[in-house]
Structures are given as C-alpha cells and as structure tokens.
C-alpha cells in the first residue's frame, strides 16, 4: 500500500498544500489506529462518519488517479491491519443506547450512489498557487457510509484507442499461434494451466470480431515447460523454424516467468534466441498497464523477432494476461503481417 507521489506538473505552492493535506490525513489515520477504544458506531453517532468512510474516500481517490486499489486494501491502510482482524480484536457489541442513536438516520449518511470516476484529476494550471479561502462545509455527513464497496471498485483497464483492424492489409492476416506456458508447478501437474487457455480464448474472441477470412487464426503449437532457460530456448527455436514439413509459428506468446523471482528466466531465454528486439511493444504495455496496476513496473517481459516469428512475453496470472493482450491485440495483426512478409 502506498501514498501516490505528487504530480510533478503542480506548482510549488500547490505541491506544498498537498503535502500539508497529506500530513493531516496521515495524522488522522495514525490517531484512529491508536484509538482502538473508539468504536465506529460512536464515530458515526457523533460525527456522521467512521473509519470505513475514510477507507472508501481513499479508494475513491485512488480510482480518480487511475490507481488499481480494492476496498480491502484501502481498509488495510486506514485500520493498519485487515478489517476482519480489527473487528475480531477491537470491535465490541453495540449497546442499546448506541443502536438507538444510530437508528436516527439524521446522524449518518443518506447513502447516495457515487458516480464512477472517468478520468484522473487534471493537474493544477500554471500560475501563482493560492490556498482556497475557508468556506462553510457543504455537508456534515459522510457521503460513503455503508456504501457498497462494489461501487468503488476500479474499472477494468481499457485498450489503447486503436480500431481492431488497425493497419491490416486488404488480404487479411494468417496467424500461426504458439502458446508456451512457463511454470515449474504447472509443468509438474501441481495445478492446471489457466493462462495458456486464456491466451487462446482471447485471441479467438478477437479474431471473431473481423469479417470472415480477415483475421485467420490457427493455434498450431501449445506447451508447458518448467522455469529452465534451456528448455524455454529449445521450444522457442523449435517453434520458430520449419521442420519435417511443419510450418513455423509466426506468433509465439509465452506466459509466466517474467518477474523478479529467482526462477523467473523467461526474458533471458527469449533474448537469447531473438534476432531483433521489439521494445516498443513492451513499452506500450508497461505504460498502459501502470495506469491500473502500479506493480506492472516489476515486469521484465521482452518482445522481439526470430526469423519470421514474433515472440512476446506475457505475465503468468490470467488477469494480467488479459490486460496485456487488450493493449497488444489491436496491433498484433499488422505486426505479424510485417514479420511474416504478408504485406
């Protein structure tokens, strides 16, 4: 969990004001974490908001900034521990007096539905920064109390604004797909491979959007290998070269082994067999993915060309695979046309 850094485009005065507001927020959270004797129902009865309201404001603010945060994660920030743990250790049964006060609906929020944010907040316009003059509060009640946290969940990432047929030639594209899952446990049968099938399903769904015969997809190779560099290299070489009359794949998508773990060697294996790098693809994936998942910066995935085959590393988690492919799919057809000489 983290507090987002300041926008570098903000003027110094506005930046200082933001730091002041952030300090006040941290002190409030610190105080609430210290005062475990104060129950949420008491806060609601006296002030019209509670720790849960603060957590919902926090996750709402995260959504406005394009940060992928769940309500549970936001509660961990506010409570300093998982919400369930706090309840089990510190929450006490409400007394009849507390419940009677809480039943007075004038003391807490009317629960209006929060509209989903559509874009990050715009940076402050250049010019002298001025703190706004103090004004009377427009409300004394929480606008998120008891609000269903599902309303505050981050929206799924959206692909770049490219048409599905972006730059395809009139004759369409033939995609000979290879899907390679890299996982020690999946290769040993300890759990089912979910990411490989996710790739196949997503590409088939994407191809079905085109007029018949425009995006011709054939899944020609699939496999699961352990996190061993030599094994990965061997498969990538085999699938990208013709053998015994079998045409090579012109697109290979790997999944898994792209992180920081000691056994993650998929990028090294891929780089070892590439003839040309295609860094622009992964740069686009990184920039788009970080809008909804800050941990995307920990990916070491690479992309490039071997002979007439485009090879791209994808993450190991099915949801991350889906997000990455949403970004890549609009240009993959044209990329394969170029690599495979179909233009």
């Amino acid at each position: 969990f983290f507090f987002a850094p300041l926008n570098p485009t903000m003027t110094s005065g506005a930046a200082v004001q933001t730091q002041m507001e952030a300090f006040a927020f941290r002190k409030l959270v610190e105080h609430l974490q210290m005062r475990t004797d104060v129950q949420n129902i008491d806060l609601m009865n006296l002030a019209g908001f509670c720790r849960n309201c603060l957590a919902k404001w926090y996750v709402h603010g995260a959504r406005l900034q394009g940060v992928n945060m769940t309500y549970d994660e936001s509660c961990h920030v506010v409570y300093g521990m998982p919400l369930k743990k706090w309840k089990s250790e510190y929450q006490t049964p409400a007394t009849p007096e507390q419940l009677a006060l809480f039943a007075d609906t004038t003391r807490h929020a009317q629960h209006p539905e929060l509209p989903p944010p559509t874009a990050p907040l715009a940076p402050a316009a250049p010019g002298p920064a001025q703190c706004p003059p103090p004004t009377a509060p427009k409300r004394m009640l929480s606008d998120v109390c008891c609000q269903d946290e599902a309303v505050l969940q981050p929206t799924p990432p959206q692909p770049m604004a490219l048409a599905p047929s972006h730059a395809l030639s009139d004759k369409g594209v033939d995609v000979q797909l290879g899907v390679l899952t890299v996982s020690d446990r999946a290769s040993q049968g300890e759990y089912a491979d979910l990411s490989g099938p996710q790739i196949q399903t997503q590409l088939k769904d994407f191809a079905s959007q085109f007029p018949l015969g425009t995006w011709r997809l054939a899944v020609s190779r699939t496999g699961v290998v352990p996190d061993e560099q030599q094994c990965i290299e061997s498969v990538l070489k085999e699938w990208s070269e013709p053998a015994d009359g079998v045409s090579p794949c012109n697109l290979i998508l790997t999944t898994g082994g792209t992180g920081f773990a000691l056994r993650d060697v998929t990028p090294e294996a891929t780089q070892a067999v590439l003839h040309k790098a295609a860094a622009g693809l992964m740069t686009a994936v990184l920039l788009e993915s970080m809008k909804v998942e800050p941990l995307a910066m920990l990916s070491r995935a690479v992309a490039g060309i071997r002979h007439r085959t485009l090879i791209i590393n994808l993450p190991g988690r099915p949801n991350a695979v889906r997000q990455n492919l949403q970004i890549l799919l609009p240009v993959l057809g044209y990329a394969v046309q170029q690599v495979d000489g179909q233009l």
Side-chain angles (χ1 to χ4, degrees), residues 38-279:
V38 178
Q39 298 294 298
N40 281 329
I41 193 170
D42 290 327
L43 291 172
M44 283 299 304
N45 288 338
L46 292 172
F49 91 105
C50 66
R51 295 174 180 86
N52 294 336
C53 299
L54 197 59
K56 289 168 183 174
W57 283 323
Y58 192 75
V59 75
H60 193 187
R63 285 194 61 188
L64 288 172
Q65 296 299 329
V67 176
N68 187 12
M69 171 175 281
T70 66
Y71 175 66
D72 287 341
E73 291 171 338
S74 183
C75 282
H76 201 143
V77 172
V78 172
Y79 284 89
M81 63 182 68
L83 178 55
K84 289 183 179 179
K85 181 179 179 181
W86 192 94
K87 286 183 176 180
S88 67
E89 294 185 6
Y90 301 113
Q91 184 165 300
T92 59
T95 65
E97 293 78 10
Q98 289 172 322
L99 291 174
L101 283 173
F102 189 76
D104 181 358
T105 58
T106 63
R107 292 180 175 272
H108 53 79
Q110 302 304 309
H111 320 307
E113 181 175 343
L114 294 175
T118 57
L121 295 175
Q130 296 180 352
C131 295
T135 57
K138 295 182 180 179
R139 58 177 170 78
M140 297 297 292
L141 306 174
S142 166
D143 58 358
V144 294
C145 175
C146 305
Q147 180 84 358
D148 185 356
E149 61 268 21
V151 178
L152 305 172
Q153 294 300 319
T155 53
Q158 299 298 315
M160 291 181 293
L162 297 173
S165 58
H166 179 70
L168 282 180
S169 67
D170 293 338
K171 61 182 181 181
V173 60
D174 289 293
V175 178
Q176 298 292 325
L177 175 65
V179 179
L180 180 62
T181 299
V182 181
S183 168
D184 285 333
R185 290 184 292 171
S187 67
Q188 296 168 5
E190 294 182 12
Y191 67 77
D193 171 28
L194 300 178
S195 297
Q198 166 69 29
I199 293 173
Q200 297 181 50
T201 298
Q202 198 162 346
L203 263 74
K204 289 176 182 177
D205 289 345
F206 182 80
S208 69
Q209 300 177 30
F210 294 85
L212 186 63
T214 304
W215 226 88
R216 299 175 291 273
L217 173 68
V219 181
S220 57
R221 308 283 185 91
T222 62
V224 181
V225 297
D227 292 280
E228 297 286 352
Q229 184 167 340
Q230 290 186 345
C231 292
I232 303 168
E233 289 183 24
S234 177
V235 173
L236 294 179
K237 290 177 181 178
E238 177 186 345
W239 290 4
S240 58
E241 296 177 359
D244 299 328
V246 178
S247 299
C249 300
N250 55 19
L251 175 63
I252 298 176
L253 299 177
T254 72
T255 171
T258 61
F260 283 16
L262 293 177
R263 296 281 293 168
D264 289 342
V265 294
T266 304
E268 286 72 24
T270 304
Q271 288 176 324
V273 304
L274 292 180
H275 298 147
K276 298 178 182 178

